[in-house]
Amino acid sequence: MRALRGGRTAGAVRQGFGKCGVAMDKHILELKHICKEFPGVKALDDVNLTLDAGEVLALVGENGAGKSTLMLTLGGVHKPEAGQIFINGKEVSFSSPMDAQNQGIGIVYQELSLVQGLSIAENIFANRQPVGKAGFIKKEELYKSAREMLGLFHMEQLDPGMLVKELSVANRQVIEILKAISCDPKILVLDEPTSSLTEVEVQELFRNIRILKERGIAIIYISHHLHEIFEIADKVTILRDGKYICEARVTDIDEEFLVTKMVGRKIENIYGKRQEDEKIGEVCFRAEHLERKGLFHDISFEVRRGEIVGMSGLVGAGRTEIGLAIFGADKLDAGTLTLDGKQVEIRSVREAIANGIGYMSENRKEQGLYLDFDLKMNFISNRLPEFSKNGFMQEKQIEKAAEEAVNQFRIAIPGVSYKVGKLSGGNQQKVLLATWLGIRPRFLIVDEPTRGVDVGAKSEIYTFLRRMAAEGTAILMISSDLPEILGVSDRILVVREGQIAADCPARGATEESILSFATGVKEEETRRD
């Protein structure tokens, strides 16, 4: 097959993998004494890392620990002030991301870079499509190469001409990985690859990672889900405050060791627990027979004062759609909502807020925060009238309220006039939570409240949610993180194909039981019995 312009064919990539020709030399990658500074911040301070061919290294640390900066340095985006990078024992330096890619570095970032309106094949070989003399793309050759790439992960059933926007989140993640490995990398970086995946999809991703391992690709795996590290990684490197803390074989450590080294202190139980004197009160919110055609139907449940109700289910089951409809962001086709015994009609977000309903979005960057605005303007964005008088904003009042929120939520920020987009993921999430707690909600919906944040920030967010519940707020927590659902919830709703498949106490529930309801296995067993 003729080589693709700007890259190798899928066949060549296949031949380059481990058993088919890659040398299994030790230390395919070494980072020595890497230092990187930004104005006023030492992001990396004498960081070391080693990686072997066919090995999965988990890179862990809190938000702001330096993980992303280290990977951007490895990817040629940043140039280090000090330190050395070695690939297969040879010292290298990168002048650009393309230079890093050409020297064997492939990176799949947390924010996927696929073009939704292009096909699978066009995304995998973006800017490297085979062309004829007249400059036209050779579609037959392109699709053949794409099929070969899909075959690496046993996904030949997918049509290379299918638009990416028609794929599931899990399959988009795979296409992103195939795009990276189509450039024949020696080292592949996966940054939070499971942040939008269900447990079933996570296992499929792990199966594909094992295929890459068998073929000699070295993988750096970044994740805040610590249980994943023990399932997929061979060893772990821990960073804290930009410094290298330690490296260890996964078989020699446990989760408590990881957490203690990451945060620098011992955390007994990140989920916290309900205090004996905290009582669950009367029904605060009730939904009856809610329907939005094509998305969910006959949804009925209630949440009591002081209660945290977890809502679980597979991606696409309708959980987020239910939350958005309750909040007035989407229109309900049928059903009634009741708050404190009084029926309410929520036709807009403004009406939801006026009735004391808050919604913390799962997508903080696109739907939750104004990234180009400072903290104080984000903090008051959902209650502007409260801080205005005669048409003028009350700057001193705004600044005072924002500073109180920074202190209460322990947000690491230079000042309340600092842009939110420059904060770490954990601090952004705390800004978002503080913004919705600011309206003093009676009923709060939190959608994926700890997505993309470190274990220390998770523990703090759970503490805030429990404190709200103790003060009488009714909370609906939508989450794909089963340990989170089991650890924080008082009661669990499982949504399957737009309907509530189970409503059960959290005590006694297991990951297996929730998954069986979410996939319909439990219902099938009940019918057989």
Side-chain angles (χ1 to χ4, degrees):
M1 182 185 295
R2 186 180 301 169
L4 302 183
R5 186 178 62 175
R8 302 169 69 184
T9 66
V13 172
R14 186 190 295 273
Q15 290 172 5
F17 283 153
K19 293 180 179 177
C20 304
V22 164
M24 300 297 284
D25 295 332
K26 285 293 183 180
H27 297 332
I28 192 170
L29 174 70
E30 288 184 87
L31 304 180
K32 294 185 176 181
H33 312 296
I34 301 294
C35 296
K36 178 62 188 174
E37 293 187 27
F38 299 103
V41 178
K42 195 158 191 176
L44 297 173
D45 185 5
D46 197 25
V47 173
N48 300 298
L49 181 150
T50 64
L51 181 63
D52 299 338
E55 181 177 58
V56 176
L57 165 70
L59 182 63
V60 301
E62 293 190 277
N63 290 109
K67 304 186 302 296
S68 294
T69 303
L70 186 62
M71 291 305 98
L72 289 170
T73 302
L74 178 62
V77 176
H78 297 323
K79 194 169 183 63
E81 272 77 41
Q84 299 168 289
I85 300 174
F86 296 87
I87 295 180
N88 281 333
K90 179 183 176 183
E91 186 172 358
V92 297
S93 62
F94 308 130
S95 59
S96 68
M98 182 61 71
D99 189 16
Q101 184 183 96
N102 290 338
Q103 296 192 59
I105 307 296
I107 300 183
V108 177
Y109 294 103
Q110 184 176 356
E111 307 296 332
L112 301 185
S113 62
L114 301 177
V115 180
Q116 303 296 306
L118 294 182
S119 69
I120 291 173
E122 289 167 329
N123 271 282
I124 292 176
F125 296 106
N127 298 318
R128 295 178 292 118
Q129 302 96 329
V131 294
K133 292 181 180 179
F136 293 106
I137 294 173
K138 296 180 177 180
K139 280 207 169 183
E140 186 177 333
E141 190 173 327
L142 173 65
Y143 284 8
K144 181 180 179 182
S145 296
R147 287 189 194 96
E148 288 185 12
M149 294 302 300
L150 290 166
L152 296 176
F153 287 169
H154 309 297
M155 297 176 66
E156 298 91 336
Q157 76 281 4
L158 286 181
D159 178 2
M162 180 186 294
L163 297 182
V164 161
K165 66 182 178 182
E166 297 171 356
L167 298 174
S168 68
V169 175
N171 281 339
R172 289 179 199 174
Q173 184 76 63
V174 172
I175 300 307
E176 190 78 55
I177 293 172
L178 290 176
K179 177 181 174 182
I181 67 173
S182 70
C183 297
D184 193 16
K186 300 179 182 74
I187 298 112
L188 180 65
V189 179
L190 301 177
D191 189 356
E192 293 288 349
T194 64
S195 61
S196 299
L197 305 184
T198 66
E199 187 62 30
V200 173
E201 292 165 335
V202 168
Q203 292 306 314
E204 185 66 17
L205 174 65
F206 286 175
R207 186 184 69 81
N208 291 331
I209 289 175
R210 292 183 183 106
I211 291 172
L212 297 177
K213 280 186 61 177
E214 289 172 3
R215 291 177 172 164
I217 291 183
I219 297 169
I220 298 176
Y221 186 90
I222 301 174
S223 179
H224 290 304
H225 298 295
L226 301 187
H227 63 279
E228 294 177 0
I229 290 164
F230 292 94
E231 185 170 352
I232 196 63
D234 300 300
K235 68 181 181 183
V236 61
T237 292
I238 303 172
L239 303 182
R240 186 170 73 238
D241 299 328
K243 293 182 173 63
Y244 168 85
I245 299 301
C246 67
E247 178 185 284
R249 304 301 299 182
V250 168
T251 51
D252 297 334
I253 62 174
D254 58 17
E255 193 166 314
E256 183 180 334
F257 175 92
L258 273 184
V259 172
T260 301
K261 293 295 184 183
M262 284 169 60
V263 304
R265 64 187 189 278
K266 193 170 183 178
I267 298 178
E268 297 288 350
N269 178 10
I270 67 169
Y271 302 111
K273 61 180 180 179
R274 178 175 293 281
Q275 300 301 314
E276 290 183 6
D277 59 346
E278 291 178 17
K279 305 299 182 185
I280 294 176
E282 299 297 318
V283 173
C284 171
F285 173 83
R286 179 178 285 117
E288 295 179 281
H289 310 298
L290 304 186
E291 180 176 357
R292 190 154 185 256
K293 291 177 181 176
L295 294 173
F296 57 84
H297 58 284
D298 199 24
I299 298 293
S300 298
F301 66 93
E302 60 186 32
V303 186
R304 296 175 176 272
R305 288 193 170 280
E307 185 180 35
I308 301 177
V309 173
M311 182 176 278
S312 185
L314 303 181
V315 171
R319 300 165 305 165
T320 293
E321 290 78 5
I322 292 168
L324 288 171
I326 291 171
F327 187 56
D330 293 328
K331 187 178 181 297
L332 281 168
D333 294 315
T336 58
L337 305 175
T338 305
L339 270 172
D340 291 326
K342 180 182 176 183
Q343 188 170 317
V344 293
E345 190 171 349
I346 307 295
R347 293 163 295 189
S348 67
V349 169
R350 187 188 297 271
E351 287 185 355
I353 294 172
N355 279 281
I357 299 177
Y359 182 86
M360 182 175 164
S361 169
E362 67 172 330
N363 190 337
R364 60 177 174 261
K365 292 189 175 182
E366 293 183 14
Q367 299 174 336
L369 297 170
Y370 299 95
L371 298 179
D372 290 331
F373 288 11
D374 60 29
L375 181 143
K376 63 178 185 286
M377 292 312 295
N378 271 276
F379 181 61
I380 67 164
S381 60
N382 55 5
R383 49 190 175 124
L384 294 176
E386 187 179 329
F387 291 91
S388 64
K389 187 176 181 181
N390 299 323
F392 294 95
M393 302 306 295
Q394 304 298 294
E395 291 296 333
K396 287 185 179 179
Q397 190 180 348
I398 293 170
E399 193 156 323
K400 181 183 177 183
E403 287 174 350
E404 288 175 354
V406 166
N407 292 329
Q408 180 186 353
F409 289 87
R410 297 175 59 188
I411 300 167
I413 191 169
V416 295
S417 296
Y418 193 77
K419 281 188 178 180
V420 165
K422 294 182 178 179
L423 296 178
S424 68
N427 284 303
Q428 286 182 356
Q429 200 72 350
K430 286 195 276 186
V431 171
L432 185 58
L433 183 59
T435 298
W436 284 109
L437 264 61
I439 71 168
R440 297 172 288 279
R442 291 189 281 174
F443 176 53
L444 177 66
I445 303 168
V446 290
D447 196 345
E448 305 289 359
T450 62
R451 172 172 289 172
V453 306
D454 61 73
V455 66
K458 280 185 179 183
S459 180
E460 290 182 280
I461 289 170
Y462 298 144
T463 298
F464 298 138
L465 292 177
R466 289 193 176 279
R467 188 179 302 160
M468 288 185 66
E471 293 171 357
T473 304
I475 299 174
L476 176 67
M477 183 181 72
I478 302 168
S479 178
S480 301
D481 187 332
L482 291 182
E484 179 173 85
I485 285 284
L486 292 167
V488 180
S489 307
D490 298 301
R491 190 159 47 86
I492 299 170
L493 303 173
V494 183
V495 180
R496 181 169 63 85
E497 296 177 355
Q499 288 186 295
I500 292 179
D503 183 341
C504 57
R507 183 175 294 180
T510 64
E511 291 189 26
E512 291 75 16
S513 65
I514 293 173
L515 274 173
S516 64
F517 281 121
T519 57
V521 172
K522 206 79 168 178
E523 185 177 300
E524 188 64 35
E525 288 176 353
T526 302
R527 278 202 297 266
R528 285 201 302 267
D529 292 342

